[in-house]
Amino acid sequence: VPVVVRRLLWIAAFLLPLLWIAAGAVLGEATLRGSRSPVAAATTKSMLSDDPERGREVEILAADGIRLRGSFLEPLSPPRGCVLLLHGVSDSRISSLGLARMFVAAGYAALAIDSRGHGASQGDLITYGLLERDDVLRWAAWLAARGCSAVYGLGESMGAAILIQAAAERPAFAAIVAECPFRDLRTIARDRIVQLAPGPLWMRRTLARLTIPAGFLYARMRYGFDLDQVSPRDAAARLETPLLLIHGTADSNIAPSHSHSIAAAARRTSLWLVPGAAHTAASTHAPREFQAKVLDWFRDHSPQPSRSPT
């Protein structure tokens, strides 16, 4: 073998592992840090008011001491139950306030929260359920401590995935709704790289196969996070809480196959595929059907006798 070729092989043997490690660090940091969308005080204030139907700001402490914040909305009459609302990645509770008002109008109290690392909540890292599942259970306990006769949950996208994992940890909810969840973090990471990376399909798939293991290894070595534990599908297999899955057939962000996989693993579940709806767009694409299905799901799984909305 010529000397030049041998030198090139030695250089490649040295550089390729470094490039793999660097790719893992970049992917790991991008995954865990995300992009915070701040809650503008003026925007939040304009959407809330002193009216008891519009709510007040609340906060709790997470297990690691960070402050988690949300908006609690109550109806004028005693609520039939309380609904916890979880948003998607790089979003905030502001996107949940429309749904919160829908629940208030139907006689429920509603708590729209900022997930850790999002909005006005503290935290630098996003773990897609590893830490957030305990945060959600603490919020559910906060609602129960305030006399909620039943606690329900509705999550969208990342929030849906977190909600399923939290509900599988402990039976804190009477029923939950998950719109457009991912089946597990490794699969959605692969899908995202194939969606966003340039080049032919075979190259994007190869890139995903090479970089995702590096990113997961980086998260474990740098932060101690086993991201393979982020799996709503595996959580659904342990879930005792009734689960309504909602997914738009035109979702190009998280494919409907993710919800199909979760539904196949869960025992007490129903899957509603919304024709033509994009990612987390069921409530705007089919508003009447969305409201009816979600409210009926909660009403049918209420621990108390149902009563008609006032």
Side-chain angles (χ1 to χ4, degrees):
V1 179
V3 174
V4 173
V5 174
R6 288 203 302 269
R7 287 178 177 174
L8 289 175
L9 290 174
W10 278 108
I11 292 172
F14 176 74
L15 288 180
L16 287 177
L18 291 180
L19 290 174
W20 187 75
I21 293 170
V26 171
L27 179 61
E29 289 294 328
T31 300
L32 294 171
R33 295 195 179 273
S35 174
R36 182 186 291 265
S37 175
V39 172
T43 304
T44 304
K45 187 175 181 179
S46 69
M47 300 186 77
L48 302 171
S49 71
D50 294 332
D51 186 330
E53 289 194 11
R54 293 297 181 258
R56 65 181 188 274
E57 299 299 287
V58 296
E59 71 174 43
I60 63 171
L61 287 180
D64 56 0
I66 68 169
R67 295 186 181 277
L68 305 171
R69 298 185 171 94
S71 298
F72 186 50
L73 294 78
E74 297 178 273
L76 293 175
S77 57
R80 66 174 68 224
C82 300
V83 183
L84 178 62
L85 298 164
L86 287 75
H87 60 76
V89 69
S90 299
D91 206 342
S92 75
R93 77 186 106 140
I94 287 179
S95 66
S96 302
L97 290 177
L99 291 174
R101 285 192 286 272
M102 178 192 82
F103 287 118
V104 170
Y108 294 88
L111 174 60
I113 65 168
D114 288 332
S115 187
R116 62 169 57 225
H118 291 78
S121 288
Q122 296 177 340
D124 297 322
L125 300 177
I126 305 166
T127 66
Y128 304 90
L130 286 181
L131 300 177
E132 290 85 352
R133 67 186 70 171
D134 184 71
D135 298 343
V136 168
L137 291 173
R138 285 172 180 260
W139 278 120
W142 184 92
L143 288 170
R146 272 141 191 83
C148 291
S149 58
V151 179
Y152 305 91
L154 186 152
E156 297 188 298
S157 194
M158 179 190 73
I162 291 171
L163 180 61
I164 294 170
Q165 294 173 84
E169 289 290 305
R170 192 160 66 246
F173 299 92
I176 59 174
V177 176
E179 184 179 5
C180 302
F182 57 82
R183 57 179 280 183
D184 60 75
L185 192 58
R186 190 176 285 267
T187 301
I188 192 59
R190 180 201 65 200
D191 291 353
R192 195 67 72 244
I193 290 174
V194 171
Q195 288 169 352
L196 300 178
L201 181 60
W202 69 267
M203 184 181 297
R204 287 178 275 148
R205 287 176 172 170
T206 301
L207 180 65
R209 284 196 294 268
L210 291 174
T211 57
I212 290 172
F216 276 48
L217 179 61
Y218 173 84
R220 184 190 286 269
M221 299 299 293
R222 175 69 176 83
Y223 298 107
F225 297 148
D226 181 2
L227 296 181
D228 278 315
Q229 296 298 313
V230 179
S231 177
R233 178 192 56 187
D234 290 349
R238 309 188 306 271
L239 189 66
E240 298 295 335
T241 303
L243 166 64
L244 172 61
L245 289 162
I246 301 175
H247 218 117
T249 60
D251 190 343
S252 59
N253 191 326
I254 298 176
S257 59
H258 286 260
S259 280
H260 279 290
S261 179
I262 295 170
R267 283 167 286 183
R268 303 178 65 189
T269 186
S270 178
L271 172 60
W272 177 37
L273 295 174
V274 188
H279 187 60
T280 66
S283 62
T284 54
H285 187 83
R288 292 182 180 177
E289 294 90 339
F290 179 90
Q291 180 169 330
K293 284 186 176 292
V294 170
L295 293 179
D296 284 349
W297 186 257
F298 289 166
R299 199 173 292 121
D300 291 345
H301 296 95
S302 170
Q304 295 181 335
S306 301
R307 50 190 182 96
S308 301
T310 55

